[in-house]
């Protein structure tokens, strides 16, 4: 299955044209997925997934162990949410899987998910990483943290209390790289900053990044490679992009600094999933979620070097090397409900 680089948008700001495009992309992807699984009489569940990192491996393992086939469809979180709404009771999907807690919150708010009462999930996934009403569950964690060139900066240069706010210090002028404002990664980070500091204080922080002439790029890999090439000294990216570079080149010359460890902790988001209200195979869908949160944690997380949510599961050795870290509590409601404010804030600050 070809990988699709997805454009992240939240549903309430999705213009019509990209949605149409996404529908076509989604249909074109459905065909090979159906062909791959067609003709089999086993039980089948269907996953609409905004997460596109090596899912095949996890689903194949699950099918082998459980006898339950998994068909899946990739799209962006927001496009798939729109599709689920449009399909209503006729949706073939059983599970909605996302790369953002805010989108899970939106799906629950729109009454698209059903509560799953599962002692297995309760035990496997810590409380802060699942819905208090059991409508969705986190399956892996990604951290958005400081990356730096160790020849140009060192850990003591960063504000250990609030490393995100600290990047507005004039000492970083001309030395920062950043991700485009329309990335869901930036939107949820800024939503959390609004939740933590209030709109005006968060606005001042982002204005500080802009005043420091942050060079903006459309993907995290380019940001890391720009640090490597000396184009900037410091940036925020998701931790697994550095892990991928290190997997290819153990001497990749960029280092990770765990942000805000003397304060609220590093900004973390989850990949997670919920069972759709209109699923016609709830029991098997629940089995898949339980498997992904337990036996399947490494199959799910390691392909993308993400951190397991299950405390009994070890992260892959590469990210274990990054060391342990404290993370700011994931407030899915804040990520979801403050998304529009986060977009406005970046625009007001002149952060593009
Ligand atoms: Fe990513």
């Amino acid at each position: 299955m070809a990988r699709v680089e997805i454009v992240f948008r939240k549903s309430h700001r999705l213009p019509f044209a990209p949605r149409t495009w996404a529908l076509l992309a989604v249909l074109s992807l459905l065909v090979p997925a159906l062909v791959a699984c067609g003709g089999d009489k086993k039980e089948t569940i269907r996953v609409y997934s905004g997460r596109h990192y090596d899912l095949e491996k996890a689903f194949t393992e699950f099918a082998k162990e459980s006898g339950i086939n998994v068909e899946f469809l990739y799209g962006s979180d927001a496009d798939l949410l729109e599709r689920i709404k449009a399909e209503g009771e006729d949706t073939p999907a059983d599970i909605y899987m996302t790369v953002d807690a805010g989108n899970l919150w939106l799906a629950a708010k729109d009454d698209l998910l059903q509560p799953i009462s599962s002692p297995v999930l309760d035990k496997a996934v810590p409380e802060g990483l699942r819905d208090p009403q059991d409508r969705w569950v986190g399956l892996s964690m990604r951290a958005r943290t400081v990356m730096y060139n160790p020849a140009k900066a060192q850990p003591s240069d960063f504000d250990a209390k609030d490393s995100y706010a600290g990047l507005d210090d004039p000492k970083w002028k001309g030395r920062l790289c950043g991700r485009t404002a329309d990335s869901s990664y930036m939107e949820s980070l800024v939503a959390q900053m609004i939740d933590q500091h209030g709109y005006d204080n968060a606005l001042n922080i982002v204005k500080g990044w802009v005043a420091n002439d942050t060079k903006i790029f459309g993907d995290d890999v380019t940001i890391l490679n720009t640090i490597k090439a000396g184009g900037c000294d410091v940036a925020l990216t998701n931790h697994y992009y550095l892990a991928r570079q290190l997997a290819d080149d153990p001497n990749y010359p960029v280092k990770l600094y765990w942000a805000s460890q003397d304060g609220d902790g590093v900004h973390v988001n989850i990949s997670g999933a919920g069972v759709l209200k209109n699923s016609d195979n709830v029991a098997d869908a629940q089995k898949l979620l339980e498997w992904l949160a337990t036996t399947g944690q490494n199959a799910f997380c390691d392909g993308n070097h993400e951190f397991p949510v299950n405390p009994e599961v070890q992260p892959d050795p590469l990210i274990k090397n990054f060391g342990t870290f404290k993370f700011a509590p994931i407030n899915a409601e804040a990520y979801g409900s403050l998304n529009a404010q986060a977009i406005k804030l970046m625009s007001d600050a002149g952060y593009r």
Side-chain angles (χ1 to χ4, degrees), residues 53 142 185 238 240-241:
Y53 302 114
R142 67 270 302 285
Y185 300 155
N238 286 359
Y240 54 84
Y241 290 104

Side-chain angles (χ1 to χ4, degrees), residues 12-310:
H12 53 267
R13 58 191 284 264
L14 190 73
F16 178 73
R19 195 185 307 162
T20 307
W21 173 88
L23 186 63
L24 290 171
V26 144
L27 285 172
S28 70
L29 287 167
L30 182 61
V31 174
L34 291 177
V35 168
C37 302
D40 202 309
K41 291 292 179 215
K42 281 193 239 174
E43 289 297 316
T44 297
I45 50 172
R46 296 177 182 86
V47 179
Y48 282 1
S49 179
R51 180 188 160 89
H52 57 292
Y53 302 114
D54 291 334
L55 272 183
E56 296 95 325
K57 183 173 174 279
F59 290 162
T60 305
E61 264 185 58
F62 172 73
K64 221 184 326 180
E65 287 181 27
S66 67
I68 302 164
N69 272 329
V70 184
E71 293 176 359
F72 54 93
L73 194 60
Y74 292 146
S76 75
D77 285 2
D79 292 341
L80 293 173
L81 194 61
E82 289 300 312
R83 184 182 170 105
I84 290 163
K85 280 186 204 167
E87 289 172 343
E89 286 183 9
D90 297 327
T91 185
D94 301 293
I95 287 176
Y96 175 50
M97 184 174 279
T98 76
V99 288
D100 177 55
N103 281 311
L104 290 170
W105 180 85
L106 281 173
K109 181 179 80 73
D110 289 343
D111 202 23
L112 301 173
L113 305 176
Q114 60 176 292
I116 295 295
S117 164
S118 162
V120 175
L121 290 175
D122 289 352
K123 181 168 180 288
V125 185
E127 259 179 42
L129 300 174
R130 53 184 159 85
D131 178 31
Q133 294 174 55
D134 295 326
R135 294 163 300 179
W136 53 263
V137 62
L139 296 169
S140 69
M141 288 190 287
R142 67 270 302 285
R144 196 156 188 84
T145 194
V146 174
M147 301 289 173
Y148 65 98
N149 179 340
K152 305 277 187 60
Q154 50 188 328
S156 58
D157 293 335
F158 304 113
D159 183 342
K161 209 157 179 301
D162 191 334
S163 312
Y164 304 95
L167 295 180
D168 71 359
D169 190 296
K171 73 179 173 187
W172 298 117
K173 193 169 176 80
R175 301 173 64 191
L176 300 177
C177 281
R179 177 74 182 257
T180 33
D182 67 357
S183 157
S184 75
Y185 300 155
M186 289 306 297
E187 292 170 7
S188 284
L189 171 66
V190 172
Q192 184 169 60
M193 286 164 54
I194 295 171
D195 190 38
Q196 288 169 328
H197 306 296
Y199 188 93
D200 290 340
N201 291 326
L203 177 66
N204 283 333
I205 293 168
V206 177
K207 276 183 175 169
W209 298 349
V210 174
N212 279 338
D213 299 330
T214 300
K215 298 182 191 83
I216 305 291
F217 296 92
D219 66 274
D220 283 12
V221 175
T222 305
I223 291 173
L224 290 172
N225 283 332
T226 304
I227 296 176
K228 178 189 175 190
C232 51
D233 299 343
V234 173
L236 300 171
T237 77
N238 286 359
H239 79 275
Y240 54 84
Y241 290 104
L242 179 61
R244 284 188 205 168
Q245 301 302 320
L246 289 168
D248 289 342
D249 172 10
N251 298 314
Y252 191 79
V254 176
K255 282 204 175 314
L256 174 150
Y257 172 82
W258 285 124
S260 306
Q261 293 300 289
D262 292 350
D264 290 337
V266 66
H267 170 73
V268 160
N269 208 331
I270 54 169
S271 286
V275 177
L276 292 177
K277 201 177 167 189
N278 289 318
S279 163
D280 55 12
N281 196 349
V282 178
D284 286 344
Q286 177 172 339
K287 277 183 202 156
L288 175 61
L289 295 190
E290 289 174 344
W291 184 84
L292 289 169
T294 54
T295 318
Q297 273 280 272
N298 286 114
F300 184 80
C301 299
D302 294 1
N304 191 40
H305 308 290
E306 289 183 50
F307 290 94
V309 289
N310 188 331

